[in-house]
Amino acid sequence: MPSLTRLVERMRYWCDVADMGYSQYDRWNFNPAGGNCDCSSLVIWSLREAGFDTGGATYTGNMGGELCARGWLRLAVDGAPLPGDILLNDRDHVAVYVGGGLLCQASVSETGGVSGAPGDQTGSETNTSRYYDYPWDCYLRYTGPDDQGDTDMPASTDLITYGGQKVTVEYALQDVCHKLEALMQSVQSIGSAKAISDQVWYGQGDGSIEQTPLYGLRAAQYASEAVAGRDGQRLDEIRAVTAQGVREGIESITTTVAVKQ
C-alpha cells in the first residue's frame, strides 16, 4: 500500500545519505554510491519506492496529470504544505515537502547546468533545504489509502552516526554485514587477526557506532534481522541487539583466528 511516510523517508535518503548528483542526461542512475538524477526522476523514483502508482509520469510536465488520475489532488499554493505534498512547477521544477519547514529536491549539477558526473560533487546537487516558493504552480496532495504503519517505530532510513558520518540505520547495518563477509574471508584465507583489525564497526546502544577490530558471525544474523525490522523491533532495540551480537561474536571470531594461526 502507498505510504507518504515512506515517500518522505526515501526522499530524505536520496538527498541526505546517498551520493547523488544532478544530470538530465543520466537521470535514472539511482546508485547510492555515486549516481545521478534530476528533479522529476528523483520524485518519481521515490514515489515508486513508496508504493505509489505513477502511471506514465516521466517529467514535471506530465506528472500532475498522471498523479491526479491516481489519487492525488491539485491544490492551490498557500504556504502551508503537509509532509508528503509534492511541490510542483509544471514547467521547471518539482520537490517534496518532508515536514519541519523542509523540502527535498535535486537542484543543479556541479557545472551549474543540466549535466554532470555521477555523485554529488558540490554537496548540494541533491539536497534538503528550507521550504521556499519556486514559485510552485500547485501542491499535489495524496488523498487515497495510505499505509501509515506503526508511527512509533522508527524506519530503517532514520539517520544515525556511523563512522563519523550521518547515515541510515539500514545503510549501517548492511555495511556491517558486508564487512563481516570480508572479515571472515580474511580470517579463512590468512588466519591473521592483525590483517583484519580496524576493518569493522558496530552499533552501540546509545545510537553511536564504534570501531572494533574483531567481531563475529552472530552480528550478521542480528544485523540482517534488524534491517528487516523483524518482530517490530524499535530503533533502540535494533541497536542493542546488534551490539549484543557483536559482543557474543567476538569469542567465535577470536577462536577461529587462534585455530587458523
Side-chain angles (χ1 to χ4, degrees):
M1 181 179 292
S3 169
L4 290 173
T5 300
R6 180 70 171 164
L7 171 61
V8 168
E9 291 168 356
R10 296 315 295 166
M11 288 294 295
R12 291 297 300 261
Y13 172 77
W14 291 113
C15 292
D16 296 344
V17 179
D19 183 16
M20 292 295 291
Y22 182 98
S23 175
Q24 292 184 10
Y25 297 97
D26 184 30
R27 60 196 293 259
W28 298 106
N29 180 9
F30 282 84
N31 177 1
N36 268 330
C37 62
D38 66 6
C39 64
S40 55
S41 68
L42 172 62
V43 173
I44 293 168
W45 186 274
S46 297
L47 282 166
R48 291 172 181 170
E49 287 186 313
F52 291 93
D53 180 3
T54 59
T58 55
Y59 75 114
T60 56
N62 67 0
M63 185 179 296
E66 291 293 330
L67 294 183
C68 286
R70 292 166 174 82
W72 294 77
L73 184 64
R74 189 179 180 100
L75 301 175
V77 174
D78 62 1
L82 300 179
D85 280 358
I86 296 173
L87 316 174
L88 180 64
N89 178 293
D90 293 288
R91 189 183 71 174
D92 294 324
H93 193 45
V94 65
V96 171
Y97 183 73
V98 296
L102 302 173
L103 60 79
C104 287
Q105 63 185 350
S107 295
V108 66
S109 78
E110 72 273 16
T111 67
V114 298
S115 65
D120 193 346
Q121 313 298 316
T122 66
S124 59
E125 294 183 53
T126 51
N127 59 83
T128 298
S129 303
R130 299 300 301 177
Y131 172 82
Y132 66 93
D133 189 358
Y134 183 79
W136 308 117
D137 293 326
C138 66
Y139 299 156
L140 297 179
R141 181 168 298 163
Y142 186 63
T143 59
D146 178 25
D147 182 9
Q148 296 292 342
D150 184 348
T151 57
D152 293 329
M153 181 177 177
S156 60
T157 49
D158 283 355
L159 298 180
I160 59 172
T161 301
Y162 176 76
Q165 298 181 339
K166 288 291 186 180
V167 302
T168 63
V169 173
E170 179 179 7
Y171 176 92
L173 294 175
Q174 287 178 344
D175 198 49
V176 164
C177 292
H178 294 155
K179 288 177 178 176
L180 262 174
E181 292 175 2
L183 174 66
M184 287 307 299
Q185 289 173 3
S186 297
V187 170
Q188 293 168 358
S189 61
I190 62 176
S192 170
K194 182 178 180 181
I196 58 175
S197 66
D198 298 332
Q199 287 189 17
V200 294
W201 308 76
Y202 74 91
Q204 297 279 16
D206 63 2
S208 65
I209 300 289
E210 299 295 339
Q211 195 174 26
T212 185
L214 297 172
Y215 66 94
L217 292 173
R218 288 293 296 277
Q221 173 190 348
Y222 284 115
S224 62
E225 290 178 0
V227 170
R230 185 174 300 175
D231 299 327
Q233 293 171 322
R234 301 298 189 267
L235 186 57
D236 56 342
E237 295 171 328
I238 288 173
R239 291 168 178 157
V241 78
T242 303
Q244 178 66 20
V246 168
R247 288 192 294 270
E248 294 180 3
I250 289 175
E251 180 179 357
S252 66
I253 282 290
T254 52
T255 300
T256 302
V257 170
V259 170
K260 291 293 182 181
Q261 289 179 321

